[in-house]
Amino acid sequence: MPATATTVAHAYQARTTDYDGAVSERPLTAAEADHLIVWAIVEKDKVDPDTDRSGRLTITGWTTATGTDRRTLRRVVRLEPTVKPRRLTERQYQDLDLVVGEEYSSTPARRDEGRVHAGFSSIPPAAAERLFAAGWLTEDPDGTVLVSFAGRVAMVLHQHRTETGHMGTHKEITRADGVRLWAPGIPLYLARCSCGHRDDHRYEAQATAQAASRAHRAAHLRALFA
């Protein structure tokens, strides 16, 4: 059966500062952005995800100018997602995870009449269309459906929502008159993540614990582009 036409939406707004300093902007579809990112990784350019939950990416490449003075020039592409990753719902996360789970199987996810088939499960046409429209799914010319880099970033941000807990440090003391009582202590803060990660360290400052949680999330974001 022929596949139903998919809405080709823009996944990113790209702002490029070229080697000569010229600045330009243009929208990119998920497929165009994926091609740009893959090429950057192959060329060993730097792909940096922002460490917050914005989903922004920065691609930095270098070249050597030829001429009388050989200079290293830099090109920077800033990718701003059109659909914020925070809008990814739990059900959408599960649907994307279905597609990811079939990527290396003999039968990767495919689309037929709007429905995306992934293994023994499938994503209904309306739900699939929303994922395509957000730029979180792409479809190859042969019909293979993949999770885009925009979708993978959204998944990581959904899976690794930072949390900060705290624990009391009260202790029992005995006064000079023999009376035993609890003395309040300065609380210690815990770095946690919605994925289940719990940092063993105890932090005296809440901001430091929050930074540790963000570092955990950032490591998973960077791993997407390794």
Side-chain angles (χ1 to χ4, degrees):
M1 298 290 290
T4 302
T6 301
T7 300
V8 179
H10 294 130
Y12 289 102
Q13 183 70 20
R15 178 182 175 87
T16 301
T17 303
D18 222 324
Y19 299 116
D20 60 359
V23 177
S24 61
E25 292 192 25
R26 71 185 181 101
L28 296 177
T29 65
E32 290 170 336
D34 283 0
H35 178 77
L36 178 67
I37 292 167
V38 169
W39 183 252
I41 294 172
V42 169
E43 289 293 299
K44 300 188 183 305
D45 290 340
K46 194 174 181 181
V47 183
D48 283 324
D50 279 15
T51 57
D52 57 14
R53 296 190 66 197
S54 67
R56 287 186 291 266
L57 304 174
T58 302
I59 301 173
T60 307
W62 294 266
T63 189
T64 301
T66 57
T68 56
D69 58 332
R70 296 180 65 83
R71 293 174 296 127
T72 299
L73 304 179
R74 187 178 71 165
R75 180 175 184 264
V76 178
V77 182
R78 184 76 163 159
L79 299 180
E80 178 79 33
T82 304
V83 178
K84 302 303 180 186
R86 290 176 182 270
R87 294 179 59 182
L88 181 72
T89 66
E90 178 62 27
R91 180 53 189 269
Q92 288 176 322
Y93 173 87
Q94 293 172 2
D95 286 342
L96 293 179
D97 199 43
L98 281 176
V99 176
V100 170
E102 297 300 318
E103 283 184 345
Y104 298 104
S105 74
S106 58
T107 55
R110 300 185 66 84
R111 187 165 168 268
D112 182 29
E113 291 297 317
R115 182 178 293 271
V116 172
H117 300 273
F120 295 105
S121 303
S122 66
I123 306 172
E129 179 63 21
R130 286 191 288 271
L131 293 173
F132 280 110
W136 294 333
L137 284 181
T138 61
E139 184 178 6
D140 284 350
D142 66 358
T144 300
V145 174
L146 300 169
V147 177
S148 67
F149 275 111
R152 293 172 194 276
V153 168
M155 290 179 71
V156 169
L157 293 175
H158 182 82
Q159 186 180 11
H160 299 281
R161 299 183 298 278
T162 60
E163 303 170 358
T164 304
H166 70 276
M167 59 182 293
T169 57
H170 294 4
K171 59 182 178 180
E172 191 178 30
I173 63 172
T174 303
R175 294 191 325 200
D177 59 6
V179 175
R180 300 176 65 85
L181 49 79
W182 287 97
I186 299 174
L188 295 176
Y189 295 93
L190 314 173
R192 297 173 174 171
C193 180
S194 59
C195 71
H197 170 75
R198 297 292 184 268
D199 194 328
D200 292 335
H201 194 76
R202 304 294 182 259
Y203 298 91
E204 295 182 358
Q206 184 176 15
T208 308
Q210 291 170 338
S213 294
R214 289 193 295 270
H216 166 78
R217 180 179 63 203
H220 286 273
L221 285 170
R222 286 192 295 269
L224 293 174
F225 309 99

